[in-house]
Amino acid sequence: MISISEEGYYGRFGGAFIPEMLHPNVEEIRKTYVEMIQDEVFQKQFRQLLRDYVGRPTPLFLAERLSEKYQTNIYLKREDLCHTGAHKVNNTIGQILLAQRLGKKRIIAETGAGQHGVATATVCALMGLPCVVYMGAVDIERQQPNVSRMKMLGAEVRPATSGSQTLKDATNEAIRDWINHPEDTHYIIGSVVGPHPYPDMVARFQSVISEEIKWQLEAATGKSNPDLIIACVGGGSNAAGAFYHYLNEKEVRLIAVEASGLGVDSGESAATSVLGTEGIIHGSRTLLMQTPDGQIIEPYSISAGLDYPGIGPMHAHLIQSGRAEAVHITDQEALNAAYDLSKREGIIPALETAHAFAALDKIEYKKTDVIVINLSGRGDKDLDTYIKHLG
Amino acid sequence: MSRLKNTFSNKKANLLNVYFTAGFPALEDTETIIRSLAESGVDVIEVGMPYSDPMADGPTIQQSGMKALENGMSVSVLFDQLKKIRKEVETPLILMGYFNQMMQFGETDFLARCQEVGIDGLILPDLPLSVYENEYQDLFKQYDLAPIFLITPQTSEERIRKIDQLSQGFIYVVSSAAITGNSKEISPEQVAYFERIEKMNLRLPRMIGFGISDHQSFSTACQYADGAIIGSAFIRALENGNDDLNHTIKTFVKGIRNN
């Protein structure tokens, strides 16, 4: 049985390893989030926004030509059709409502590729709240279109100039901002990472993905359970959402796809489940890439959304306990999968998502199987990279 | 831990705790810095273990940590350095770092080694009080190490009482909602907070830290607590000082004490 404990542990992983300065804020959310999410008024607001603003339910699409290629039955959960172009907005809608209930007047967020930053800036514009997004100085350079989108939406983008100047440093800066503004600010974390209750809270907001898959698949095939669900994992929010309602349905295989960059053993990788060891990152006990001395190592992937040195505690538990299977995909394999999907189905996926598609070449399945791939985001933001590597 | 206890029972006011990042400015400076601080009459020395992701620290301490790591500092190198200098210096030594560093060293090995090299207490800001209480309290006692916890303006009275019970040595009173290294004048709200804590008549001495940077902020803080802690301002002094580390340190401490 996969579940989370009162203290926020999935098996050995999770918890809240935070400085005292963050204790009152995190404790306030911990004490109220479940009740708040289950509250009828909250649910009504949340559901309405997901429908009318985000455009949910997103379609479940039978990809016939892809199915023909792989000689099986492949359905795509079209999170790329969400407003702002990825699943990230499911969570930011939930958290902005939470922030309002807590009476917070200012929103902060971290972002890597910029998708979560855009999704946060979007809901802040919607609710008229000021928004500061921390982004690694290196990522600001390589994800310019999303930086411009955030600015156009009225957010302030602050470069994280410490450390390696990427996602983990943006997260550190956001945490420091929260320490400096404990009373008026809510921190919208973008993935199933961070101190408890963030991993569980974000998973609950994203769980709408698997909630929809259940009834959509039932309508399409007569069975609500697929044989496999495939999703890419950086921190792991889209995978958490796609797996959520199937966690305790053991006959459903859960495939977590990590980015192995130039190869798992190349030294340029983000394959946390094999390269990581148990430790603490951003307030959570989980698997992370680190030196024997406990210094966190900067990972590498062509996809800015997957190059995070940790993995959400739920996924660490799912993989270590054998409930989920980890698959590793290189930059080149992801690029090839993106080009193939574009031509075969007319869908340009985000680079992160392309890793999930490449996994079809790595796993075993039967001809009669029903496979759901979570198409977590669209590839507009990655066009430069795609064009550059098209050769 | 007895060194720490004695320090606070022998001296009741104006205690000065100075923080430095081990391995900064240079890898081998640890001994010189500790010796100079001790000779300058600093009451408690806080040794920072440089960390890649120090979430409670501001830019000054972050950058010193990055430099120290580039210089080759590690937990084991630091322990070796401390073992040597402990033979010369009787000033209490506190180790400050992040919980992951202790975890990767092996919790028991780490605490045993702390005792062996003469560490008196530990500040691990991201080790939660509840985890300490349930999993590490006995080990800290076994190795005679003082766990030093932080309180902030937002910490509830009930929780402060609990921290007072579980901590040893002293309580680290974080001066405001902030990361390390902000140096503004102490505000009336901060004074009200210091007075509120003072009136609680806690079991342990109180040291005020974060934002203490010069003689004025030090002496103001000392009016409301047993003493104060200076970190970022000292790192900046080391950065800006000349090659004579000993002279830089003595001048700095003199400036804090006497203006």
Side-chain angles (χ1 to χ4, degrees), chain A residues 72-94:
Chain A
T72 187
N73 309 287
I74 301 170
Y75 286 84
L76 310 181
K77 181 57 176 162
R78 298 292 309 274
E79 293 300 296
D80 60 318
L81 296 178
C82 286
H83 178 43
T84 72
H87 71 289
K88 290 288 185 190
V89 71
N90 301 328
N91 168 48
T92 60
I93 292 272

Side-chain angles (χ1 to χ4, degrees), chain B residues 121-192:
Chain B
L122 284 166
I123 301 173
L124 300 164
D126 61 341
L127 171 62
L129 196 62
S130 57
V131 175
Y132 167 77
E133 189 180 14
N134 297 328
E135 297 176 33
Y136 298 112
Q137 192 170 195
D138 293 342
L139 278 175
F140 272 67
K141 281 190 182 137
Q142 184 184 336
Y143 295 110
D144 195 33
L145 294 162
I148 295 156
F149 287 99
L150 280 57
I151 64 171
T152 80
Q154 280 76 35
T155 309
S156 70
E157 176 165 346
E158 186 192 355
R159 195 167 162 84
I160 293 173
R161 295 273 174 218
K162 185 156 193 194
I163 286 169
D164 189 37
Q165 284 313 306
L166 287 173
S167 295
Q168 297 292 339
F170 63 89
I171 289 180
Y172 196 130
V173 181
V174 176
S175 66
S176 66
I179 50 175
T180 58
N182 288 334
S183 45
K184 290 183 191 141
E185 272 181 44
I186 291 176
S187 68
E189 291 78 25
Q190 285 174 285
V191 168

Side-chain angles (χ1 to χ4, degrees), chain A residues 109-369:
Chain A
E110 84 296 337
T111 197
Q115 285 304 112
H116 173 59
V118 167
T120 305
T122 298
V123 297
C124 286
L126 181 68
M127 299 300 178
L129 287 173
C131 175
V132 174
V133 179
Y134 288 90
M135 189 169 185
V138 170
D139 289 336
I140 286 180
E141 282 303 309
R142 60 180 177 180
Q143 304 283 338
Q144 269 300 326
N146 273 344
V147 175
S148 305
R149 288 169 82 193
M150 286 184 268
K151 287 183 179 164
M152 189 163 171
L153 291 160
E156 180 190 341
V157 180
R158 285 193 196 161
T161 54
S162 63
S164 50
Q165 310 186 358
T166 60
L167 178 56
K168 85 173 172 73
D169 310 288
T171 309
N172 291 336
E173 286 306 322
I175 291 172
R176 290 181 187 118
D177 181 307
W178 208 21
I179 289 174
N180 282 321
H181 303 92
E183 312 233 300
D184 65 339
T185 298
H186 176 66
Y187 176 18
I188 300 188
I189 295 184
S191 193
V192 286
V193 302
H196 177 63
Y198 276 99
D200 184 46
M201 180 168 69
V202 176
R204 283 170 189 252
F205 289 141
Q206 292 293 357
S207 72
V208 65
I209 299 172
S210 49
E211 184 187 301
E212 289 173 5
I213 295 174
K214 280 216 150 186
W215 62 259
Q216 289 172 323
L217 203 60
E218 167 99 46
T221 68
K223 273 170 50 187
S224 61
N225 287 7
D227 297 287
L228 292 88
I229 304 177
I230 306 176
C232 64
V233 175
S237 69
N238 91 76
F243 295 168
Y244 197 86
H245 291 285
Y246 296 108
L247 289 173
N248 293 307
E249 315 249 355
K250 288 201 180 99
E251 69 280 12
V252 181
R253 284 168 63 194
L254 308 176
I255 314 290
V257 185
E258 291 185 307
S260 59
L262 302 182
V264 171
D265 301 317
S266 66
E268 298 290 335
S269 179
T272 310
S273 73
V274 280
L275 299 172
T277 52
E278 209 170 313
I280 308 288
I281 181 168
H282 299 136
S284 175
R285 184 179 187 123
T286 186
L287 296 173
L288 64 133
M289 292 167 59
Q290 56 183 330
T291 67
D293 203 39
Q295 309 292 340
I296 298 173
I297 293 173
E298 185 56 25
Y300 165 79
S301 162
I302 191 169
S303 129
L306 298 182
D307 67 350
Y308 182 68
I311 183 172
M314 180 175 100
H315 295 298
H317 177 62
L318 292 177
I319 292 169
Q320 282 222 333
S321 66
R323 177 66 190 94
E325 303 161 48
V327 174
H328 300 101
I329 297 300
T330 64
D331 290 355
Q332 193 57 53
E333 288 163 344
L335 287 167
N336 293 345
Y339 298 136
D340 186 65
L341 183 71
S342 303
K343 294 212 175 94
R344 208 174 285 273
E345 297 288 352
I347 298 170
I348 300 175
L351 255 171
E352 292 77 14
T353 313
H355 287 72
F357 282 86
L360 286 167
D361 293 314
K362 297 286 175 89
I363 53 169
E364 288 186 14
Y365 50 81
K366 295 196 291 287
K367 196 170 176 179
T368 53
D369 279 350

